[in-house]
């Protein structure tokens, strides 16, 4: 299906969600490199917001575009790891104007908003989906590194329950293409800057338990981020670390994006489906990892959320 659509297009744009994560970046750069390697006459560009430093070793990060050219109409726009048009951000006009559109994604909340859709909610990652769609004999080391990085991040280093036998088979085949897995795991997943670790420590120290210790919440204000010299991209992993607390089913981590406006990250164990809660508040995501934006104090957010969490815990 993917190869057929690629053959029909001379010009291809690839986009993904705002604040791109490892899966979004890995699937985008991997697919772009695959097209460059195997369809040498095609024009292909990736449109994503700023790429965090730790992913810049991937082939082609320096040519990722952060603005759209005026009046450009692509034959095909491929939307990756993005559940709705709004989350596509600045590249949405390119999607809307493209002659054909394809969406490859694993978010349950994705309604299939492109002309062609490949949505598999149970899949570990968009990067695994891309790997399944491309021609395996034509995967270069650069493509493998990008897709491996994407799978790694959306599975929490093959830890989360979305890791299927097919995920590990894909990862094994990507290793065979020459990926230096220990280096990528260390450099992109576990290694943190000193400031990032300090912020994590602060979030853990200030966290509160509620609903009989089954929920944990913490937050960080804009002024605290300034104090530590960090920005929002430095907060990755805090919500998951909170969720690792013994007895906790749901973790809530909030970071202030504007005065009294919080980006809320939710993580859950085996019971609560946080995608349902995030959707209730206008966001989205997966069963065990979801998010949304809410106005109010952190305590307003916690109050609003605990009602929704209790509804599911009582079932
Ligand atoms: P995170 O907590 O790491 O920011 O996001 C966890 C998951 O929830 C990701 O899969 C992400 O795509 C989704 N998500 C986070 N925030 C939002 C949001 O505001 N809207 C939607 N639709 N999805 C979100
Ligand atoms: Mn993903």
């Amino acid at each position: 299906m993917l190869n057929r659509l690629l053959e029909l297009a001379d010009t291809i744009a690839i986009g993904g969600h705002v604040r791109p994560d490892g899966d979004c970046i890995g699937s985008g750069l991997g697919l772009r490199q695959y097209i460059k390697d195997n369809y040498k006459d095609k024009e292909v560009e990736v449109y994503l917001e700023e790429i965090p430093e730790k992913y810049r070793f991937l082939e082609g990060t320096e040519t990722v575009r952060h603005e759209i050219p005026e009046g450009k109409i692509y034959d095909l726009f491929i939307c990756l790891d993005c559940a709705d048009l709004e989350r596509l951000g600045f590249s949405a006009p390119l999607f809307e104007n493209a002659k054909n559109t394809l969406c490859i994604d694993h978010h349950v909340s994705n309604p299939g908003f492109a002309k062609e859709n490949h949505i598999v909610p149970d899949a570990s990652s968009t990067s695994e989906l891309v790997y399944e769609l491309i021609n395996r004999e034509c995967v270069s080391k650069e493509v493998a590194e990008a897709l491996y990085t994407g799978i790694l991040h959306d599975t929490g280093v093959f830890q989360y329950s979305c890791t299927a036998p097919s995920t590990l088979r894909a990862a094994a085949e990507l290793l065979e293409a020459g990926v230096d897995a220990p280096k990528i795991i260390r450099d992109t997943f576990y290694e943190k800057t000193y400031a990032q670790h300090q912020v994590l420590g602060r979030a853990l120290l200030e966290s509160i338990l509620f609903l009989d210790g089954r929920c944990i919440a913490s937050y960080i204000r804009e002024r605290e981020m300034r104090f530590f010299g960090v920005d929002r991209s430095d907060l990755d992993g805090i919500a998951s670390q909170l969720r690792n607390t013994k007895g906790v089913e749901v973790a809530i981590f909030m970071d202030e994006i504007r005065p009294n406006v919080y980006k809320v990250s939710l993580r859950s164990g085996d019971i609560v489906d946080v995608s349902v809660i995030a959707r209730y508040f206008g966001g989205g995501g997966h069963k065990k990892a979801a998010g949304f934006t809410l106005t109010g104090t952190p305590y307003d957010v916690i109050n609003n959320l605990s009602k929704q969490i209790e509804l599911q815990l009582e079932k």
Side-chain angles (χ1 to χ4, degrees):
M1 170 269 241
L2 176 64
N3 284 297
R4 174 178 55 85
L5 293 176
L6 292 177
E7 264 153 37
L8 292 172
D10 289 326
T11 58
I12 302 152
I14 297 171
H17 62 77
V18 291
R19 291 189 64 228
D21 59 7
D23 186 32
C24 183
I25 294 164
S27 58
L29 290 176
L31 178 56
R32 195 253 298 262
Q33 194 58 38
Y34 171 79
I35 298 169
K36 277 182 162 245
D37 291 344
N38 298 288
Y39 297 90
K40 294 203 188 320
D41 52 336
K42 312 271 179 194
E43 179 191 327
V44 54
E45 298 288 352
V46 174
Y47 292 88
L48 286 176
E49 288 180 2
E50 194 186 330
I51 310 293
E53 171 70 32
K54 64 186 176 187
Y55 298 118
R56 295 204 193 136
F57 73 98
L58 292 172
E59 180 71 25
T61 37
E62 65 292 346
T63 58
V64 170
R65 295 193 176 185
H66 308 299
E67 284 170 21
I68 57 174
E70 215 169 299
K72 176 92 183 172
I73 295 177
Y74 282 94
D75 293 338
L76 177 64
F77 188 102
I78 306 177
C79 180
L80 297 173
D81 203 35
C82 182
D84 57 64
L85 199 54
E86 202 183 310
R87 298 247 318 147
L88 199 51
F90 76 98
S91 68
L94 288 179
F95 176 96
E96 287 171 310
N97 293 333
K99 292 181 194 152
N100 199 7
T101 54
L102 165 66
C103 190
I104 304 173
D105 188 25
H106 68 134
H107 287 92
V108 274
S109 50
N110 194 320
F113 61 96
K115 286 183 187 145
E116 307 260 358
N117 296 283
H118 184 66
I119 318 292
V120 187
D122 288 335
S124 70
S125 53
T126 301
S127 299
E128 183 183 338
L129 293 175
V130 167
Y131 181 67
E132 280 168 1
L133 292 171
I134 62 181
N135 197 339
R136 295 183 187 186
E137 292 78 60
C138 305
V139 173
S140 63
K141 183 181 173 204
E142 290 72 26
V143 171
E145 281 177 340
L147 298 181
Y148 187 89
T149 302
I151 294 174
L152 193 72
H153 279 262
D154 263 25
T155 60
V157 193
F158 309 108
Q159 173 202 160
Y160 305 148
S161 56
C162 61
T163 310
S166 62
T167 316
L168 294 174
R169 274 193 284 271
E173 288 170 23
L174 293 168
L175 281 186
E176 282 169 349
V179 172
D180 184 348
K183 182 168 169 43
I184 294 181
I185 294 171
R186 188 184 59 238
D187 292 356
T188 72
F189 197 85
Y190 288 109
E191 189 180 82
K192 304 276 177 205
T193 64
Y194 182 67
Q196 286 167 348
H197 268 144
Q198 285 196 307
V199 172
L200 168 67
R202 152 114 199 180
L204 297 177
L205 196 66
E206 299 285 324
S207 65
I208 55 159
L209 285 172
F210 58 105
L211 294 180
D212 291 331
R214 299 179 83 188
C215 289
I216 193 166
S218 193
Y219 64 93
I220 188 122
R221 288 218 173 87
E222 267 186 318
R223 63 166 187 266
E224 288 146 4
M225 282 194 259
R226 273 198 301 277
F227 174 80
F228 286 109
V230 297
D231 61 37
R232 300 192 54 236
S233 70
D234 294 307
L235 307 175
D236 276 3
I238 296 183
S240 301
Q241 192 57 46
L242 287 165
R243 224 293 304 156
N244 282 335
T245 311
K246 192 169 168 66
V248 162
E249 169 62 21
V250 179
I252 304 165
F253 180 66
M254 297 160 269
D255 62 276
E256 195 179 30
I257 51 177
R258 288 189 297 282
N260 267 339
V261 179
Y262 284 87
K263 170 72 219 301
V264 183
S265 281
L266 301 174
R267 297 291 183 272
S268 64
D270 294 326
I271 302 166
V272 173
D273 182 343
V274 285
S275 73
V276 173
I277 298 172
R279 253 181 288 168
Y280 178 84
F281 290 105
H286 309 284
K287 194 166 182 276
K288 297 184 177 185
F292 62 94
T293 303
L294 206 66
T295 304
T297 69
Y299 291 91
D300 294 334
V301 177
I302 292 171
N303 277 334
N304 286 325
L305 272 168
S306 30
K307 289 183 206 124
Q308 296 303 314
I309 296 168
E310 260 185 309
L311 282 175
Q312 288 198 44
L313 284 175
E314 278 165 6
K315 267 188 199 157

